[in-house]
Amino acid sequence: MSDYQETALNGAAILNRYRVMSEIEFTKAQLQETKKKSSDSNNIESIIEQIKRARHSARATVVNSFEEIEGGYAEEYRKVARTLWCIGPVSLCNKKHAEKLDRGNKASINEQHCISWLDSKEPESVIYACFGSLYRISATQIKEIGLGWEAAGFSFIWIIRGMDSSAEVEKWLAEEKLEERVEGTGLIIHGWAPQVLILSHPSVGGFLTHCGWNSTLEGVSAGMPMITWPMFAEQFYNEKFIVQVLKISVRVGVEVRVGGKPGAQKEDKKALVKWDRVMKSIQNLMEED
């Protein structure tokens, strides 16, 4: 076992993460659409077929995971695939401070300001929230998230990515003076954040995540309990894994995929999470003994 895999295992152990394989159930609304015929779905099916052909012709499959967290699943996968190599979590290759800071992209916030803000907080008192880099969150949902943060009353770092900062969102933030109202309690970062660096800080005690696999592994590696908020693709599968199998998360309660496609902004009333559900999920995670 490599040093960084051992670090991940230690983080997972902190969460009492290891469980036997469980029976997992999905609703139709949580699964990827496969029957709908469109140029997008045809392209996706073509890509999947290319992946299958490449996998069958390859000598081995390399995955960003590690045996101690997915041992049972890795064993089953090896029954249908050739050699499987678990080389993750790859994020832990970034050990130095500078590497953590610039992992993925250039941070949109001054590093010292971010660290100083975290240093001023009690251990495990801050919850960090990031929804990945692919899906554009609607302005309506952004507003509900902001109100939920304020009502929950816990310290937080919330990432509002550039693609989510529409004119409507910026106008609402300015008119409501949300950043002023939560000053001292909340830190809102507009753009890219040094996620690995933040999650490794001792003041951070929770992670609200979209359940992308990279973010999931980064949270596990940091020993971080999570709030799950999947939106599309395999994120509902990952949510089932970290909630039902690893038992390290609470759900915000999303039951359906977000409408539209990655990069698009589309209102979906069925997928909208109101402020009180945001508040309750934060309180459930942070108030748990």
Side-chain angles (χ1 to χ4, degrees), residues 16-261:
N16 190 25
R17 53 97 201 108
Y18 192 72
R19 295 292 186 273
V20 297
M21 294 173 66
S22 303
E23 182 175 305
I24 304 296
E25 296 181 352
F26 294 92
T27 65
K28 184 178 180 181
Q30 294 172 333
L31 298 174
Q32 281 290 89
E33 291 187 46
T34 57
K35 294 182 179 180
K36 183 180 178 180
K37 292 299 180 182
S38 66
S39 58
D40 290 329
S41 62
N42 288 334
N43 288 337
I44 292 173
E45 290 176 3
S46 175
I47 292 171
I48 291 174
E49 286 303 315
Q50 292 179 48
I51 293 172
K52 288 180 178 179
R53 289 195 296 270
R55 184 183 65 196
H56 290 315
S57 63
R59 294 179 58 188
T61 299
V62 178
V63 297
N64 180 22
S65 189
F66 58 110
E67 295 278 352
E68 291 79 6
I69 198 174
E70 290 195 284
Y73 299 102
E75 182 180 345
E76 291 299 313
Y77 187 81
R78 288 189 177 99
K79 294 179 180 179
V80 297
R82 297 186 180 183
T83 304
L84 178 69
W85 293 336
C86 296
I87 64 167
V90 297
S91 62
L92 290 177
C93 290
N94 303 115
K95 297 180 180 180
K96 296 180 181 179
H97 184 88
E99 293 174 338
K100 293 181 180 179
L101 176 65
D102 292 332
R103 174 172 167 77
N105 209 331
K106 187 70 176 178
S108 302
I109 187 173
N110 180 274
E111 167 204 354
Q112 290 303 319
H113 174 65
C114 183
I115 296 301
S116 296
W117 189 89
L118 284 169
D119 287 343
S120 71
K121 303 302 178 184
E122 296 293 324
E124 300 183 358
S125 64
V126 178
I127 185 165
Y128 168 73
C130 182
F131 296 91
S133 58
L134 289 178
Y135 209 95
R136 177 175 293 176
I137 301 174
S138 71
T140 302
Q141 186 63 83
I142 291 285
K143 296 174 186 178
E144 295 294 334
I145 295 170
L147 295 175
W149 280 125
E150 185 177 25
F154 287 92
S155 296
F156 66 89
I157 294 180
W158 176 24
I159 313 306
I160 300 181
R161 302 154 306 175
M163 64 190 301
D164 296 327
S165 293
S166 64
E168 183 180 351
V169 168
E170 295 304 319
K171 180 181 178 182
W172 178 77
L173 287 172
E175 290 179 346
E176 293 294 320
K177 294 182 171 55
L178 181 66
E179 293 185 73
E180 295 177 22
R181 296 207 308 258
V182 300
E183 185 177 0
T185 302
L187 178 62
I188 300 176
I189 299 177
H190 297 264
W192 194 270
Q195 179 163 295
V196 172
L197 188 65
I198 291 172
L199 289 175
S200 64
H201 195 282
S203 291
V204 179
F207 181 17
L208 195 163
T209 176
H210 66 303
C211 302
W213 187 241
N214 284 335
S215 289
T216 296
L217 283 186
E218 289 168 6
V220 167
S221 300
M224 199 61 55
M226 294 176 246
I227 298 172
T228 58
W229 191 324
M231 296 182 179
F232 72 106
E234 89 290 354
Q235 294 167 10
F236 281 95
Y237 310 154
N238 296 338
E239 179 189 48
K240 295 288 185 177
F241 179 61
I242 57 181
V243 172
Q244 293 184 222
V245 181
L246 302 186
K247 301 185 186 300
I248 60 174
S249 304
V250 297
R251 301 178 65 242
V252 79
V254 178
E255 299 295 347
V256 298
R257 299 182 313 277
V258 179
K261 60 183 180 179

